[in-house]
Amino acid sequence: MKLRYFSHSAFQITTNDGKKILIDPFLDDNPTSPVKSADVDADYIVLTHGHGDHIGDSFKIAGRTDPLFICVNELADYVASKGFKAHNMHIGGAHQFDFGKVKFTIAHHGSISPEGNYTGEPSGVVLTIDGKTVYHTGDTGLFLDMKLIGELNKIDYMLAPIGDNFTMGIDDAVKAVEFVNPEIVIPMHYDTFPVIKADPQEFKHKVEKIGKKALVLEYGQEIEL
Ligand code: NI
Ligand code: MN
C-alpha cells in the first residue's frame, strides 16, 4: 500500500488494488497542505473525531465521490445526518472491510462538530491493510494504555502528533513511541498554525536517541509501505 501525507493529521492510503482511504482530510483551510479537496477522491473516509481540523473537507469530497465513512457511533450518526454513508463503530471494536481491518482506540482529547453537534468520544485508529499495520493516534495526550495498543497490535507505522498545546508535544510523543514500539514513527499535527509550531527534526533526533526510527514526510509526499 501507499501512504500519502497532506500535512496536519491528513493522510491518504492507497491499497495495492487501488482503493483510496482518507484519514482526517483537512485540506482547503489548511495553510500547509499543497493538495486541495478538489484534487482528491475517496472510497472510504476515516475520521478520528469531530473537530473541524479533522472532519475538514470530508463532506465536500463525499459529495463528489460517495465514500463510506468509518468512525465512532456518534460521529457516524452526525455524518449520516448530512446524507452520507457511514459505518458506525466504537472504541475497542474492530471490523473487517474489503480493504482491510479497522480498529478504534481511545484518545485523550475532545470531540464536537464545527456546528456544535455531539460527536462522541475522540479516537485513534489501527488499520491493517496489505499486511501492514498503521496506528493513527488521532489528537491525543500521552496515555499509558498506548503500551497495550503496541502489545496487542504489532505496529509498523505510528502516526503521532508532536505540535503540543492541543496534543502531545515532542517529549511526550517520544515517550509514546517508547510505549507503542512501532517500526517507524511519522510525526503529524505540527506547524499548521503558530500555536502548534514544532521541529520534526528535533523529534526525529530524540526518537533516534531511544533507538527507534522516525520518518519526517514532506507535505504531499507519498511513500510505499
Ligand atoms: Ni482535535
Ligand atoms: Mn486537531
Side-chain angles (χ1 to χ4, degrees):
M1 72 167 131
K2 291 194 183 85
L3 178 75
R4 187 172 191 200
Y5 184 43
F6 296 122
S7 76
H8 205 59
S9 299
F11 290 84
Q12 180 185 58
I13 288 172
T14 306
T15 65
N16 290 344
D17 63 359
K19 294 190 180 75
K20 286 199 157 68
I21 302 131
L22 293 177
I23 308 171
D24 291 355
F26 172 54
L27 306 172
D28 292 351
D29 296 330
N30 172 352
T32 50
S33 177
V35 177
K36 296 300 161 193
S37 68
D39 305 317
V40 297
D41 42 47
D43 298 299
Y44 298 88
I45 296 179
V46 175
L47 298 178
T48 61
H49 62 293
H51 287 160
D53 59 318
H54 295 260
I55 289 186
D57 305 294
S58 293
F59 298 154
K60 265 191 236 171
I61 297 163
R64 267 193 301 110
T65 64
D66 196 30
L68 178 67
F69 283 78
I70 303 169
C71 35
V72 299
N73 185 62
E74 295 79 3
L75 180 52
D77 282 349
Y78 169 67
V79 167
S81 79
K82 297 288 179 187
F84 301 113
K85 298 182 297 187
H87 180 101
N88 297 45
M89 293 184 68
H90 231 305
I91 291 161
H95 185 76
Q96 188 73 43
F97 291 88
D98 65 356
F99 63 86
K101 196 173 92 171
V102 177
K103 183 175 184 179
F104 282 95
T105 72
I106 61 168
H108 287 309
H109 194 65
S111 187
I112 191 167
S113 83
E115 305 153 280
N117 308 70
Y118 176 64
T119 51
E121 294 297 308
S123 64
V125 64
V126 177
L127 303 135
T128 305
I129 299 170
D130 296 333
K132 298 273 188 216
T133 299
V134 177
Y135 171 32
H136 185 301
T137 69
D139 280 2
T140 188
L142 178 65
F143 56 92
L144 189 59
D145 283 4
M146 283 180 173
K147 275 190 180 178
L148 195 57
I149 294 168
E151 225 173 270
L152 296 177
N153 312 273
K154 198 195 108 13
I155 305 296
D156 295 296
Y157 293 84
M158 177 181 179
L159 316 177
I162 63 163
D164 224 334
N165 194 78
F166 300 112
T167 67
M168 298 186 281
I170 288 175
D171 291 334
D172 282 7
V174 171
K175 195 73 190 168
V177 172
E178 197 183 308
F179 286 167
V180 173
N181 195 30
E183 286 300 316
I184 293 176
V185 61
I186 294 171
M188 65 175 182
H189 212 274
Y190 65 90
D191 281 2
T192 324
F193 313 109
V195 75
I196 59 168
K197 264 208 153 321
D199 179 4
Q201 296 303 331
E202 180 193 338
F203 173 68
K204 184 176 154 74
H205 292 314
K206 288 183 168 173
V207 166
E208 285 165 356
K209 267 200 187 150
I210 62 160
K212 300 300 297 177
K213 260 167 93 172
L215 182 62
V216 178
L217 296 182
E218 303 285 320
Y219 301 146
Q221 188 182 350
E222 185 167 62
I223 55 165
E224 182 73 45
L225 302 193

